[in-house]
């Protein structure tokens, strides 16, 4: 198997409560699965080994998902595994529309390989997500947000969580549901991951 191996996590399952637009037209779990599958397929077409971490439609617990990532890390070495978790942001609890919008990515607070991966994803976002708001934390050199999210904190490989626009913002939801938006989000991930591999592994 060609290394590194890319694991695309699509958080949440069919029965996850909330995680939808206020009008119910958008479900994070279904969207993230479609996007993850398309990212994996396109990476494969470009000669990159990539898998979906959660193929099930049901909710697979964070503990179980971390267990799957760590099994890959043990088998192939943590430097040879790259995790990207695909999510959508929300400003509220899903009961009302809000004004916050845009794309962002998160890593854990420490400066690690994950930050390098995030920088490539931000560069790709600037290119692929044209005319959309990109939420930058500090600047070009330190664009990603930092949070001790469970899947990032408990996995030992390079890991980034992308928050792909807001599911409680009207304009973002229209974009997320459009083929243009889906294709752009997929392209952003594929390009960012491929540039990261080119610069860090080849
Ligand atoms: Zn989520």
């Amino acid at each position: 198997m060609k290394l590194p191996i890319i694991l695309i996590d699509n958080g949440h399952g069919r029965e996850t409560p909330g995680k939808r637009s206020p009008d119910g037209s958008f479900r994070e779990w279904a969207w993230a699965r479609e996007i993850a599958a398309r990212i994996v397929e396109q990476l494969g077409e470009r000669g990159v080994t990539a898998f979906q971490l959660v193929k099930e439609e049901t909710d697979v617990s964070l503990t179980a998902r971390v267990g799957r990532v760590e099994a890959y890390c043990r088998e192939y070495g943590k430097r040879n595994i790259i995790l990207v978790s695909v999510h959508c942001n929300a400003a509220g609890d899903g009961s009302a529309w809000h004004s916050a919008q845009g794309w962002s990515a998160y890593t854990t607070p420490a400066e690690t390989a994950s930050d390098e991966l995030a920088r490539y994803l931000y560069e790709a976002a600037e290119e692929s997500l044209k005319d959309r708001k990109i939420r930058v934390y500090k600047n070009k050199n330190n664009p990603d947000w930092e949070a001790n999210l469970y899947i990032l904190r408990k996995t030992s490989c390079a890991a980034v969580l992308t928050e792909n626009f807001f599911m409680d913002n009207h304009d973002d939801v229209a974009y997320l549901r459009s083929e243009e938006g889906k294709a752009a989000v997929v392209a952003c991930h594929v390009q960012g991951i491929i540039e990261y591999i080119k610069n860090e592994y080849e």
Side-chain angles (χ1 to χ4, degrees):
M1 191 143 42
K2 193 175 172 222
L3 300 174
I5 296 167
I6 317 302
L7 300 174
I8 305 294
D9 173 44
N10 34 259
H12 315 299
R14 184 183 279 281
E15 63 278 64
T16 315
K19 309 290 185 190
R20 64 179 68 179
S21 60
D23 63 359
S25 67
F26 179 88
R27 307 287 170 103
E28 184 186 8
W29 76 268
W31 184 88
R33 260 170 192 68
E34 180 185 346
I35 296 303
R38 287 171 65 168
I39 294 169
V40 165
E41 191 187 347
Q42 288 192 21
L43 284 170
E45 287 166 5
R46 307 273 296 267
V48 175
T49 311
F51 301 110
Q52 256 179 282
L53 191 63
V54 178
K55 293 200 186 74
E56 301 91 329
E57 288 206 346
T58 48
D59 209 10
V60 172
S61 72
L62 276 166
T63 323
R65 282 189 267 150
V66 166
R68 290 181 187 181
V69 176
E70 290 306 290
Y72 276 100
C73 289
R74 277 193 301 277
E75 191 164 355
Y76 298 97
K78 63 183 180 183
R79 214 193 104 70
N80 291 316
I81 304 300
I82 294 166
L83 171 70
V84 178
S85 189
V86 176
H87 287 256
C88 298
N89 219 332
D93 62 3
S95 60
W97 296 101
H98 294 272
S99 59
Q101 62 182 139
W103 184 94
S104 55
Y106 284 78
T107 64
T108 54
E111 182 72 20
T112 64
S114 306
D115 296 87
E116 203 56 39
L117 172 59
R119 273 191 282 275
Y120 284 102
L121 286 165
Y122 265 92
E123 268 184 38
E126 295 285 354
E127 250 182 70
S128 304
L129 308 171
K130 289 191 182 68
D131 306 323
R132 304 300 306 187
K133 180 173 181 164
I134 308 295
R135 301 168 69 92
V136 172
Y137 171 58
K138 275 190 179 158
N139 53 44
K140 233 179 141 178
N141 297 321
N142 194 356
D144 60 295
W145 300 77
E146 295 181 339
N148 263 319
L149 301 167
Y150 189 88
I151 195 135
L152 303 179
R153 181 163 48 91
K154 295 287 189 184
T155 48
S156 44
C157 56
V160 172
L161 186 147
T162 58
E163 290 283 16
N164 297 278
F165 302 99
F166 283 71
M167 61 185 132
D168 54 5
N169 175 277
H170 254 301
D171 187 52
D172 274 6
V173 167
Y175 186 68
L176 287 167
R177 294 180 69 195
S178 71
E179 177 49 32
E180 181 203 354
K182 288 178 186 175
V185 168
V186 171
C188 161
H189 286 79
V190 169
Q191 190 191 330
I193 290 165
I194 284 183
E195 286 301 316
Y196 175 68
I197 295 173
K198 261 191 209 160
N199 285 279
E200 301 297 319
Y201 291 85
E202 289 169 3

